[in-house]
Amino acid sequence: MMAKRCGYAVLTAMFLILLVGACGAPESTSMTMAQTSTRVASAPTATPLPLTDTPLPPSTTPTTTETPAPTATNPPPTDTALPPTVTAVPPTATSPVAATPDGKILLSVYPDGDLAVMNTDGSDQMLLVDRTMPGDVFSDRLAAWRPDGKKVSYAVDDFEQVEIWIMDSDGSGGQLLVGEVAPITSHSWSPDGKRIAFVSSEHGICILDLASQTMTELTSETLHDERDPDWSPDGSMLAFSASDGQNQDIYAINIDGSGLTRITSHEARDKHPDWSPDGIEIAFSSTRRSQRFPDIYLLDLSLGTEGEDNLPIQLTAEDKLEVRPDWSPDGSWIVFLSHELGAEHGTIYAVDVHGQSLVQVTADNVYHSPRWRP
């Protein structure tokens, strides 16, 4: 009997143990699922947060991913191209500019068509050609210094033909250089003084070798109305004005006729180019401010031809025709002609290359085509 009760007790104990084990398993499973469902529920809450920042507007995305790199290594043109008044600093900017210009000016004197030399303050005027004969209709103008300053060349216009003559700087020893020259256009000497560039009435821009008397034509079929060739200081190129049928611009060409390049590109009329002594800049006259009144401008060639990142600097702004600029030998001043609309002659002024000082050289309104002595 006792053995049977012990058997029942053992069986009861085993049954209780199994029952407790069976009840514990669901509690453990329930905890595990609760923790898992908590992690799963929190994941969607955390995941979408970056998604609200990821789809940035297209205009913002390049700014954060692409722009910083070129800013550090290769800045955009809008950052590198400083305003023209800062970038196109003349080479003499580090040295102070004299209060008044120094040197001598060669110019034409009206109404007799004389040629004269005077100081830059208008004093000590000396006539080189004095047309005083009755009935004399010759007009001497558009003169130029030979680079050594010992000779002067000039255009003689008798209203039938134009010729270029040369004489000593004291007005003696005049002789003919070349005929069949186009009117109303200047000429230029090569830096070595051995050649002269001019505009032929028949062949456009030409170069005459004075020793061999051979002539090289630099005409272009795409251009016409070529005027005022000016030799580069290194002797390799000529700058000149010409029309492509739309407007007048400044061009440059190698002296062998190759490498034609448009220097300026504006709807205004650009004329009378003159190279700076160091070859870095070109001065010219242009009707950009006013279609009636041209002003004097500078273009920095070290920055290339005219464009959005290289705009000419305006030096003058009077309601007069301000034309035919010519650099001083030290590159700090530019002399030019200023005259009223419709007049063929006017007053000579000099402006420093920063546009801060303007000096009146002549008192009378009877002059034309000033040229600074080398």
Side-chain angles (χ1 to χ4, degrees), residues 11 14 25 29 35 44 57 66 77 82 154 156 179 183 200 204 226 257 262 270 286-287 314 323 333 335 338 358 374:
L11 289 174
M14 292 179 64
T29 303
Q35 292 174 358
E66 297 180 4
L82 297 175
Y154 57 100
V156 177
S200 167
E226 297 99 328
R262 187 195 298 262
D270 298 336
S286 178
T287 56
Q314 182 179 343
V323 296
W333 289 86
V335 69
S338 176
L358 182 66

PDB file of all heavy atoms in Angstrom, residues 11 14 25 29 35 44 57 66 77 82 154 156 179 183 200 204 226 257 262 270 286-287 314 323 333 335 338 358 374:
ATOM      1  N   LEU A  11       4.733   9.879  -9.422  1.00  0.00           N
ATOM      2  CA  LEU A  11       4.066  10.232 -10.673  1.00  0.00           C
ATOM      3  C   LEU A  11       3.512  11.659 -10.603  1.00  0.00           C
ATOM      4  O   LEU A  11       3.564  12.429 -11.568  1.00  0.00           O
ATOM      5  CB  LEU A  11       2.916   9.245 -10.950  1.00  0.00           C
ATOM      6  CG  LEU A  11       3.358   7.824 -11.339  1.00  0.00           C
ATOM      7  CD1 LEU A  11       2.137   6.903 -11.432  1.00  0.00           C
ATOM      8  CD2 LEU A  11       4.091   7.833 -12.666  1.00  0.00           C
ATOM      9  N   MET A  14       6.350  14.149 -10.879  1.00  0.00           N
ATOM     10  CA  MET A  14       6.836  14.250 -12.280  1.00  0.00           C
ATOM     11  C   MET A  14       5.863  15.034 -13.136  1.00  0.00           C
ATOM     12  O   MET A  14       6.233  15.821 -14.016  1.00  0.00           O
ATOM     13  CB  MET A  14       7.016  12.819 -12.848  1.00  0.00           C
ATOM     14  CG  MET A  14       8.164  12.054 -12.164  1.00  0.00           C
ATOM     15  SD  MET A  14       8.316  10.376 -12.822  1.00  0.00           S
ATOM     16  CE  MET A  14       8.760  10.745 -14.506  1.00  0.00           C
ATOM     17  N   ALA A  25       7.700  27.700 -20.908  1.00  0.00           N
ATOM     18  CA  ALA A  25       8.107  27.886 -22.304  1.00  0.00           C
ATOM     19  C   ALA A  25       7.336  28.977 -22.967  1.00  0.00           C
ATOM     20  O   ALA A  25       7.899  29.843 -23.594  1.00  0.00           O
ATOM     21  CB  ALA A  25       7.952  26.560 -23.056  1.00  0.00           C
ATOM     22  N   THR A  29       8.976  32.489 -24.613  1.00  0.00           N
ATOM     23  CA  THR A  29       8.720  32.793 -26.018  1.00  0.00           C
ATOM     24  C   THR A  29       8.046  34.135 -26.164  1.00  0.00           C
ATOM     25  O   THR A  29       8.349  34.929 -27.046  1.00  0.00           O
ATOM     26  CB  THR A  29       7.842  31.689 -26.625  1.00  0.00           C
ATOM     27  OG1 THR A  29       8.502  30.450 -26.461  1.00  0.00           O
ATOM     28  CG2 THR A  29       7.610  31.958 -28.093  1.00  0.00           C
ATOM     29  N   GLN A  35      10.398  41.571 -27.433  1.00  0.00           N
ATOM     30  CA  GLN A  35      11.625  42.317 -27.715  1.00  0.00           C
ATOM     31  C   GLN A  35      11.845  42.445 -29.212  1.00  0.00           C
ATOM     32  O   GLN A  35      12.225  43.480 -29.720  1.00  0.00           O
ATOM     33  CB  GLN A  35      12.814  41.606 -27.055  1.00  0.00           C
ATOM     34  CG  GLN A  35      12.756  41.662 -25.531  1.00  0.00           C
ATOM     35  CD  GLN A  35      13.847  40.829 -24.904  1.00  0.00           C
ATOM     36  OE1 GLN A  35      14.627  40.181 -25.618  1.00  0.00           O
ATOM     37  NE2 GLN A  35      13.913  40.832 -23.593  1.00  0.00           N
ATOM     38  N   PRO A  44      11.506  51.134 -38.505  1.00  0.00           N
ATOM     39  CA  PRO A  44      10.865  52.059 -39.452  1.00  0.00           C
ATOM     40  C   PRO A  44      10.849  53.501 -38.963  1.00  0.00           C
ATOM     41  O   PRO A  44      10.891  54.421 -39.743  1.00  0.00           O
ATOM     42  CB  PRO A  44       9.441  51.519 -39.553  1.00  0.00           C
ATOM     43  CG  PRO A  44       9.540  50.095 -39.160  1.00  0.00           C
ATOM     44  CD  PRO A  44      10.614  50.051 -38.129  1.00  0.00           C
ATOM     45  N   PRO A  57      16.535  69.422 -53.575  1.00  0.00           N
ATOM     46  CA  PRO A  57      16.206  70.003 -54.888  1.00  0.00           C
ATOM     47  C   PRO A  57      17.413  69.962 -55.804  1.00  0.00           C
ATOM     48  O   PRO A  57      18.555  70.041 -55.350  1.00  0.00           O
ATOM     49  CB  PRO A  57      15.823  71.460 -54.544  1.00  0.00           C
ATOM     50  CG  PRO A  57      15.485  71.426 -53.097  1.00  0.00           C
ATOM     51  CD  PRO A  57      16.316  70.342 -52.490  1.00  0.00           C
ATOM     52  N   GLU A  66      29.539  69.277 -55.944  1.00  0.00           N
ATOM     53  CA  GLU A  66      30.491  69.546 -57.019  1.00  0.00           C
ATOM     54  C   GLU A  66      31.199  70.891 -56.882  1.00  0.00           C
ATOM     55  O   GLU A  66      32.369  70.999 -57.177  1.00  0.00           O
ATOM     56  CB  GLU A  66      29.763  69.513 -58.374  1.00  0.00           C
ATOM     57  CG  GLU A  66      29.165  68.144 -58.684  1.00  0.00           C
ATOM     58  CD  GLU A  66      28.450  68.150 -60.021  1.00  0.00           C
ATOM     59  OE1 GLU A  66      28.498  69.186 -60.704  1.00  0.00           O
ATOM     60  OE2 GLU A  66      27.862  67.135 -60.365  1.00  0.00           O
ATOM     61  N   PRO A  77      35.313  81.380 -63.540  1.00  0.00           N
ATOM     62  CA  PRO A  77      35.723  82.672 -64.103  1.00  0.00           C
ATOM     63  C   PRO A  77      35.163  83.867 -63.359  1.00  0.00           C
ATOM     64  O   PRO A  77      35.785  84.885 -63.278  1.00  0.00           O
ATOM     65  CB  PRO A  77      35.183  82.610 -65.544  1.00  0.00           C
ATOM     66  CG  PRO A  77      35.058  81.153 -65.842  1.00  0.00           C
ATOM     67  CD  PRO A  77      34.724  80.494 -64.541  1.00  0.00           C
ATOM     68  N   LEU A  82      38.801  89.615 -61.928  1.00  0.00           N
ATOM     69  CA  LEU A  82      38.524  90.797 -61.133  1.00  0.00           C
ATOM     70  C   LEU A  82      37.972  91.891 -62.030  1.00  0.00           C
ATOM     71  O   LEU A  82      38.094  91.832 -63.240  1.00  0.00           O
ATOM     72  CB  LEU A  82      39.813  91.268 -60.470  1.00  0.00           C
ATOM     73  CG  LEU A  82      40.441  90.274 -59.484  1.00  0.00           C
ATOM     74  CD1 LEU A  82      41.764  90.809 -58.988  1.00  0.00           C
ATOM     75  CD2 LEU A  82      39.518  89.994 -58.328  1.00  0.00           C
ATOM     76  N   TYR A 154      55.595 111.784 -92.393  1.00  0.00           N
ATOM     77  CA  TYR A 154      54.291 112.432 -92.366  1.00  0.00           C
ATOM     78  C   TYR A 154      53.592 112.240 -93.701  1.00  0.00           C
ATOM     79  O   TYR A 154      54.224 111.977 -94.734  1.00  0.00           O
ATOM     80  CB  TYR A 154      54.435 113.918 -92.042  1.00  0.00           C
ATOM     81  CG  TYR A 154      55.329 114.689 -92.987  1.00  0.00           C
ATOM     82  CD1 TYR A 154      54.787 115.464 -94.011  1.00  0.00           C
ATOM     83  CD2 TYR A 154      56.715 114.642 -92.857  1.00  0.00           C
ATOM     84  CE1 TYR A 154      55.594 116.178 -94.882  1.00  0.00           C
ATOM     85  CE2 TYR A 154      57.529 115.343 -93.719  1.00  0.00           C
ATOM     86  CZ  TYR A 154      56.983 116.113 -94.738  1.00  0.00           C
ATOM     87  OH  TYR A 154      57.796 116.812 -95.609  1.00  0.00           O
ATOM     88  N   VAL A 156      51.518 113.651 -96.834  1.00  0.00           N
ATOM     89  CA  VAL A 156      51.291 114.864 -97.614  1.00  0.00           C
ATOM     90  C   VAL A 156      50.081 114.625 -98.505  1.00  0.00           C
ATOM     91  O   VAL A 156      50.068 113.708 -99.323  1.00  0.00           O
ATOM     92  CB  VAL A 156      52.520 115.213 -98.472  1.00  0.00           C
ATOM     93  CG1 VAL A 156      52.235 116.445 -99.329  1.00  0.00           C
ATOM     94  CG2 VAL A 156      53.732 115.452 -97.576  1.00  0.00           C
ATOM     95  N   GLY A 179      54.307 106.472-102.320  1.00  0.00           N
ATOM     96  CA  GLY A 179      53.108 107.122-102.828  1.00  0.00           C
ATOM     97  C   GLY A 179      51.916 106.176-102.775  1.00  0.00           C
ATOM     98  O   GLY A 179      51.995 105.069-102.231  1.00  0.00           O
ATOM     99  N   PRO A 183      44.006 107.956 -97.828  1.00  0.00           N
ATOM    100  CA  PRO A 183      43.848 109.153 -96.992  1.00  0.00           C
ATOM    101  C   PRO A 183      43.273 108.824 -95.617  1.00  0.00           C
ATOM    102  O   PRO A 183      42.720 107.739 -95.391  1.00  0.00           O
ATOM    103  CB  PRO A 183      42.868 110.015 -97.797  1.00  0.00           C
ATOM    104  CG  PRO A 183      42.055 109.019 -98.563  1.00  0.00           C
ATOM    105  CD  PRO A 183      42.985 107.879 -98.893  1.00  0.00           C
ATOM    106  N   SER A 200      47.723 101.208 -98.216  1.00  0.00           N
ATOM    107  CA  SER A 200      47.766 101.586 -99.622  1.00  0.00           C
ATOM    108  C   SER A 200      46.361 101.893-100.121  1.00  0.00           C
ATOM    109  O   SER A 200      45.390 101.285 -99.667  1.00  0.00           O
ATOM    110  CB  SER A 200      48.385 100.451-100.445  1.00  0.00           C
ATOM    111  OG  SER A 200      48.171 100.657-101.823  1.00  0.00           O
ATOM    112  N   GLY A 204      45.331  97.766 -99.490  1.00  0.00           N
ATOM    113  CA  GLY A 204      45.114  97.577 -98.062  1.00  0.00           C
ATOM    114  C   GLY A 204      46.393  97.808 -97.275  1.00  0.00           C
ATOM    115  O   GLY A 204      47.252  98.613 -97.648  1.00  0.00           O
ATOM    116  N   GLU A 226      40.480  99.085 -93.892  1.00  0.00           N
ATOM    117  CA  GLU A 226      41.592  98.981 -92.948  1.00  0.00           C
ATOM    118  C   GLU A 226      42.215 100.354 -92.724  1.00  0.00           C
ATOM    119  O   GLU A 226      42.400 101.131 -93.660  1.00  0.00           O
ATOM    120  CB  GLU A 226      42.657  98.016 -93.468  1.00  0.00           C
ATOM    121  CG  GLU A 226      42.178  96.584 -93.629  1.00  0.00           C
ATOM    122  CD  GLU A 226      41.806  96.260 -95.068  1.00  0.00           C
ATOM    123  OE1 GLU A 226      41.337  97.182 -95.769  1.00  0.00           O
ATOM    124  OE2 GLU A 226      41.987  95.100 -95.488  1.00  0.00           O
ATOM    125  N   GLY A 257      51.488  88.089 -92.555  1.00  0.00           N
ATOM    126  CA  GLY A 257      50.126  87.952 -93.031  1.00  0.00           C
ATOM    127  C   GLY A 257      49.330  86.843 -92.389  1.00  0.00           C
ATOM    128  O   GLY A 257      48.148  86.673 -92.683  1.00  0.00           O
ATOM    129  N   ARG A 262      40.845  88.980 -84.109  1.00  0.00           N
ATOM    130  CA  ARG A 262      39.992  90.110 -83.717  1.00  0.00           C
ATOM    131  C   ARG A 262      40.256  90.420 -82.254  1.00  0.00           C
ATOM    132  O   ARG A 262      40.042  89.586 -81.373  1.00  0.00           O
ATOM    133  CB  ARG A 262      38.520  89.764 -83.925  1.00  0.00           C
ATOM    134  CG  ARG A 262      37.576  90.954 -83.707  1.00  0.00           C
ATOM    135  CD  ARG A 262      36.130  90.484 -83.563  1.00  0.00           C
ATOM    136  NE  ARG A 262      35.658  89.829 -84.758  1.00  0.00           N
ATOM    137  CZ  ARG A 262      34.914  90.412 -85.711  1.00  0.00           C
ATOM    138  NH1 ARG A 262      34.584  91.671 -85.580  1.00  0.00           N
ATOM    139  NH2 ARG A 262      34.521  89.733 -86.755  1.00  0.00           N
ATOM    140  N   ASP A 270      35.356 100.859 -83.170  1.00  0.00           N
ATOM    141  CA  ASP A 270      36.654 100.889 -82.497  1.00  0.00           C
ATOM    142  C   ASP A 270      37.724 101.257 -83.521  1.00  0.00           C
ATOM    143  O   ASP A 270      37.848 100.598 -84.559  1.00  0.00           O
ATOM    144  CB  ASP A 270      36.968  99.531 -81.876  1.00  0.00           C
ATOM    145  CG  ASP A 270      35.958  99.124 -80.815  1.00  0.00           C
ATOM    146  OD1 ASP A 270      35.318 100.029 -80.241  1.00  0.00           O
ATOM    147  OD2 ASP A 270      35.810  97.914 -80.571  1.00  0.00           O
ATOM    148  N   SER A 286      36.696 104.594 -79.159  1.00  0.00           N
ATOM    149  CA  SER A 286      35.490 103.800 -79.379  1.00  0.00           C
ATOM    150  C   SER A 286      34.252 104.602 -79.033  1.00  0.00           C
ATOM    151  O   SER A 286      34.265 105.456 -78.138  1.00  0.00           O
ATOM    152  CB  SER A 286      35.519 102.525 -78.529  1.00  0.00           C
ATOM    153  OG  SER A 286      34.332 101.781 -78.701  1.00  0.00           O
ATOM    154  N   THR A 287      33.161 104.315 -79.741  1.00  0.00           N
ATOM    155  CA  THR A 287      31.874 104.975 -79.506  1.00  0.00           C
ATOM    156  C   THR A 287      30.980 104.135 -78.593  1.00  0.00           C
ATOM    157  O   THR A 287      29.767 104.118 -78.755  1.00  0.00           O
ATOM    158  CB  THR A 287      31.160 105.224 -80.841  1.00  0.00           C
ATOM    159  OG1 THR A 287      31.017 103.967 -81.542  1.00  0.00           O
ATOM    160  CG2 THR A 287      31.925 106.200 -81.709  1.00  0.00           C
ATOM    161  N   GLN A 314      37.539 102.518 -69.682  1.00  0.00           N
ATOM    162  CA  GLN A 314      37.259 103.824 -70.275  1.00  0.00           C
ATOM    163  C   GLN A 314      38.049 104.896 -69.534  1.00  0.00           C
ATOM    164  O   GLN A 314      37.984 105.012 -68.316  1.00  0.00           O
ATOM    165  CB  GLN A 314      35.766 104.128 -70.201  1.00  0.00           C
ATOM    166  CG  GLN A 314      35.366 105.451 -70.827  1.00  0.00           C
ATOM    167  CD  GLN A 314      33.867 105.687 -70.731  1.00  0.00           C
ATOM    168  OE1 GLN A 314      33.094 104.765 -70.490  1.00  0.00           O
ATOM    169  NE2 GLN A 314      33.464 106.933 -70.893  1.00  0.00           N
ATOM    170  N   VAL A 323      40.068 111.076 -79.866  1.00  0.00           N
ATOM    171  CA  VAL A 323      40.578 110.066 -80.796  1.00  0.00           C
ATOM    172  C   VAL A 323      42.104 110.097 -80.846  1.00  0.00           C
ATOM    173  O   VAL A 323      42.747 110.928 -80.223  1.00  0.00           O
ATOM    174  CB  VAL A 323      40.006 110.297 -82.208  1.00  0.00           C
ATOM    175  CG1 VAL A 323      38.490 110.113 -82.217  1.00  0.00           C
ATOM    176  CG2 VAL A 323      40.353 111.706 -82.709  1.00  0.00           C
ATOM    177  N   TRP A 333      51.417 107.753 -69.529  1.00  0.00           N
ATOM    178  CA  TRP A 333      50.475 108.751 -70.035  1.00  0.00           C
ATOM    179  C   TRP A 333      50.050 108.398 -71.448  1.00  0.00           C
ATOM    180  O   TRP A 333      50.760 107.686 -72.177  1.00  0.00           O
ATOM    181  CB  TRP A 333      51.102 110.148 -70.045  1.00  0.00           C
ATOM    182  CG  TRP A 333      51.311 110.743 -68.701  1.00  0.00           C
ATOM    183  CD1 TRP A 333      52.391 110.554 -67.886  1.00  0.00           C
ATOM    184  CD2 TRP A 333      50.436 111.624 -68.006  1.00  0.00           C
ATOM    185  NE1 TRP A 333      52.237 111.266 -66.723  1.00  0.00           N
ATOM    186  CE2 TRP A 333      51.050 111.940 -66.771  1.00  0.00           C
ATOM    187  CE3 TRP A 333      49.194 112.200 -68.301  1.00  0.00           C
ATOM    188  CZ2 TRP A 333      50.465 112.787 -65.837  1.00  0.00           C
ATOM    189  CZ3 TRP A 333      48.609 113.045 -67.378  1.00  0.00           C
ATOM    190  CH2 TRP A 333      49.227 113.333 -66.156  1.00  0.00           C
ATOM    191  N   VAL A 335      48.540 110.612 -74.821  1.00  0.00           N
ATOM    192  CA  VAL A 335      48.155 111.875 -75.417  1.00  0.00           C
ATOM    193  C   VAL A 335      47.098 111.600 -76.481  1.00  0.00           C
ATOM    194  O   VAL A 335      47.117 110.546 -77.123  1.00  0.00           O
ATOM    195  CB  VAL A 335      49.382 112.611 -76.012  1.00  0.00           C
ATOM    196  CG1 VAL A 335      49.924 111.879 -77.224  1.00  0.00           C
ATOM    197  CG2 VAL A 335      49.061 114.046 -76.344  1.00  0.00           C
ATOM    198  N   SER A 338      41.209 115.937 -78.964  1.00  0.00           N
ATOM    199  CA  SER A 338      39.820 116.164 -78.562  1.00  0.00           C
ATOM    200  C   SER A 338      39.275 117.317 -79.391  1.00  0.00           C
ATOM    201  O   SER A 338      39.826 118.430 -79.352  1.00  0.00           O
ATOM    202  CB  SER A 338      39.742 116.499 -77.068  1.00  0.00           C
ATOM    203  OG  SER A 338      38.417 116.813 -76.694  1.00  0.00           O
ATOM    204  N   LEU A 358      44.052 114.535 -65.944  1.00  0.00           N
ATOM    205  CA  LEU A 358      43.867 115.000 -67.307  1.00  0.00           C
ATOM    206  C   LEU A 358      44.550 116.346 -67.449  1.00  0.00           C
ATOM    207  O   LEU A 358      44.283 117.273 -66.681  1.00  0.00           O
ATOM    208  CB  LEU A 358      42.379 115.119 -67.639  1.00  0.00           C
ATOM    209  CG  LEU A 358      42.019 115.550 -69.062  1.00  0.00           C
ATOM    210  CD1 LEU A 358      42.434 114.479 -70.057  1.00  0.00           C
ATOM    211  CD2 LEU A 358      40.523 115.822 -69.175  1.00  0.00           C
ATOM    212  N   PRO A 374      59.789 109.246 -79.046  1.00  0.00           N
ATOM    213  CA  PRO A 374      60.310 108.031 -78.395  1.00  0.00           C
ATOM    214  C   PRO A 374      61.377 108.375 -77.339  1.00  0.00           C
ATOM    215  O   PRO A 374      62.092 109.354 -77.476  1.00  0.00           O
ATOM    216  CB  PRO A 374      60.938 107.246 -79.546  1.00  0.00           C
ATOM    217  CG  PRO A 374      60.253 107.752 -80.782  1.00  0.00           C
ATOM    218  CD  PRO A 374      59.954 109.200 -80.504  1.00  0.00           C
TER     219      PRO A 374
END
